[in-house]
Amino acid sequence: MSQQHSRPSATVTVFASPTSWIESDAVAQCHQVAALDGMTHVAGMPDLHPGKGAPIGAAMTSTILYPFLVGSDIGCGIAVFPIRLRRAVPEKLAARFPDLDRALDPEQDADDPAWDVLKGDIPAGHVEGLGTVGRGNHFVELARIGTVFEPEHASHLGLAAGDLVLVVHSGSRGLGERILRAHTELHGAGPAPDPGAYLAMHDDAVRWGSLNRRLLAARVAHALGAEPTEPIVDQCHNLVEIRDGSYLHRKGAAPGDGRDVLIAGTRGTPSYLVAGHAGPEAGHSVAHGAGRKMSRADALRRGRAKHTVEELRRTPVGSLVVCGDRQLLFEEAPTAYKRIEQVIDDLVEHGLATPVATTIPLVTYKTADLGSKGRRKPGRRS
């Protein structure tokens, strides 16, 4: 059963089972949002967790547009690209990943083949940070298709067990942050005084995020000796859309109304490709990932007590993590997240999604692992 809560202002529904890990702070944030002027419904996903001022893993419907409910990483999402490689040996491939912290410069890197994915102009003319993955929970992952639950659906997407894919999780880098800051400097957490003007900038950031995921996938494909491909899934989970005359804000919630979505696990667990079929009570949305169960500070403190850097660079599923930032390794440890299987079970139990297939990590890139003499081998103690 979903947990129903009621306020005079708006309804709040959290789509999680009683045994799921849902922090009371996150539910409290849902109620705080529900009390905002114009708010009609808040839907919490099973990956719900507290965010800065607003919950992450929520779809929030209102007659008033609130930019802070979308946050600073407008356009953040996850895309899946098929990739063909002759042999997939994680150790060899990890060493060939390019430095995705170094941005592509439209002039200095004009001859980079990754630019072939650019059709038309760069959204908003924002040239900073193109082709970079960013920090936090963003990543680029080479994975293989594991269990296929819905062969016909997977086949329709061109996928079968054993196929390789690139999973790219990234957003609009500095662009979304600039848009939110321009609003909050004048209006704080208040509504957008000119929704149309905000939406025009917002839509640019959404397009920019999608372009950036394509650039990242193309850079990695070329570095691994493969041809770039079109994404078979590309869903943004930080955005606002006008739906049935209201503003549907999504913060860490993916559109789940008849769309295919990759719900990210952790770098040490499978991720799940699902077919979403969520209705209005769920804000037409599904979860976007496993969802944090520890703050970054807690994950760092507990992780250092439990794990070595070496342990975190090779995961329980045998994959490798490319990450030169030791602190980030601990902050993003698989144990800092909820169990992805529980999140998926909750979505299925509430009729919001049907699992299509799993993806099993082979190499997960977080940030460049560069030593004084070029790239260190992943897994080596630094």
Side-chain angles (χ1 to χ4, degrees):
M1 285 288 291
S2 57
Q3 301 159 30
Q4 276 280 2
H5 310 271
S6 200
R7 298 272 289 213
S9 42
T11 49
V12 175
T13 306
V14 178
F15 290 88
S17 64
T19 55
S20 295
W21 178 298
I22 302 288
E23 290 163 89
S24 57
D25 285 357
V27 177
Q29 280 189 335
C30 288
H31 285 299
Q32 288 161 13
V33 169
L36 293 171
D37 288 347
M39 196 62 57
T40 55
H41 185 57
V42 176
M45 298 294 113
D47 60 335
L48 184 73
H49 56 287
K52 290 179 183 174
I56 299 169
M60 300 154 280
T61 306
S62 174
T63 56
I64 295 172
L65 174 50
Y66 291 97
F68 91 99
L69 293 182
V70 178
S72 61
D73 202 5
I74 306 163
C76 185
I78 296 180
V80 180
F81 303 79
I83 184 169
R84 290 191 178 279
L85 299 170
R86 275 199 290 272
R87 292 187 67 218
V89 180
E91 289 78 4
K92 291 184 177 176
L93 294 173
R96 291 171 62 182
F97 265 64
D99 180 356
L100 300 176
D101 291 342
R102 190 187 74 78
L104 288 176
D105 185 281
E107 292 179 5
Q108 293 175 359
D109 301 308
D111 59 347
D112 193 301
W115 288 116
D116 291 347
V117 303
L118 174 62
K119 311 289 185 237
D121 296 329
I122 294 169
H126 186 74
V127 297
E128 296 87 38
L130 279 163
T132 61
V133 68
R135 282 290 198 270
N137 61 356
H138 294 158
F139 64 85
V140 178
E141 184 168 275
L142 176 68
R144 63 177 169 79
I145 301 297
T147 306
V148 175
F149 305 104
E150 298 285 337
E152 197 173 325
H153 195 119
S155 176
H156 177 69
L157 291 169
L159 296 177
D163 286 355
L164 298 178
V165 291
L166 286 174
V167 179
V168 181
H169 178 199
S170 191
S172 57
R173 309 295 283 110
L175 179 57
E177 197 173 341
R178 194 173 78 190
I179 292 167
L180 182 66
R181 193 183 302 124
H183 171 81
T184 53
E185 281 175 356
L186 293 173
H187 310 287
D194 183 345
Y198 171 80
L199 285 170
M201 294 185 289
H202 160 284
D203 292 352
D204 275 343
V206 170
R207 283 191 291 270
W208 199 99
S210 185
L211 166 64
N212 199 45
R213 290 188 283 278
R214 285 167 166 79
L215 282 169
L216 285 162
R219 291 183 80 177
V220 173
H222 285 300
L224 299 185
E227 281 299 308
T229 59
E230 283 292 305
I232 52 173
V233 170
D234 185 12
Q235 290 300 335
C236 169
H237 49 238
N238 285 0
L239 77 163
V240 61
E241 67 175 71
I242 297 174
R243 183 149 199 153
D244 303 325
S246 293
Y247 297 106
L248 173 55
H249 310 75
R250 291 187 176 100
K251 179 76 179 284
D257 47 353
R259 303 188 225 187
D260 297 320
V261 177
L262 192 284
I263 301 179
T266 70
R267 61 189 186 222
T269 61
S271 294
Y272 282 74
L273 180 63
V274 306
H277 34 77
E281 195 187 11
H284 306 280
S285 303
V286 295
H288 79 310
R292 293 193 76 90
K293 71 175 182 182
M294 283 184 212
S295 69
R296 294 187 178 281
D298 280 350
L300 188 60
R301 181 173 51 79
R302 294 185 191 187
R304 281 178 168 157
K306 283 177 65 175
H307 304 292
T308 64
V309 169
E310 183 95 346
E311 286 169 347
L312 292 178
R313 283 193 172 147
R314 185 175 287 277
T315 76
V317 295
S319 63
L320 293 178
V321 179
V322 178
C323 183
D325 183 335
R326 285 168 155 231
Q327 182 171 325
L328 190 63
L329 263 175
F330 287 110
E331 289 176 349
E332 288 290 307
T335 49
Y337 285 83
K338 306 179 193 200
R339 282 183 62 250
I340 184 63
E341 292 80 9
Q342 182 70 60
V343 171
I344 300 301
D345 286 350
D346 285 354
L347 291 173
V348 171
E349 184 186 325
H350 290 97
L352 306 186
T354 300
V356 175
T358 60
T359 65
I360 312 296
L362 295 173
V363 178
T364 305
Y365 177 103
K366 298 291 292 181
T367 184
D369 192 2
L370 301 171
S372 56
K373 297 178 181 176
R375 186 175 302 282
R376 289 195 300 269
K377 288 182 181 176
R380 209 184 88 189
R381 227 181 252 282
S382 54

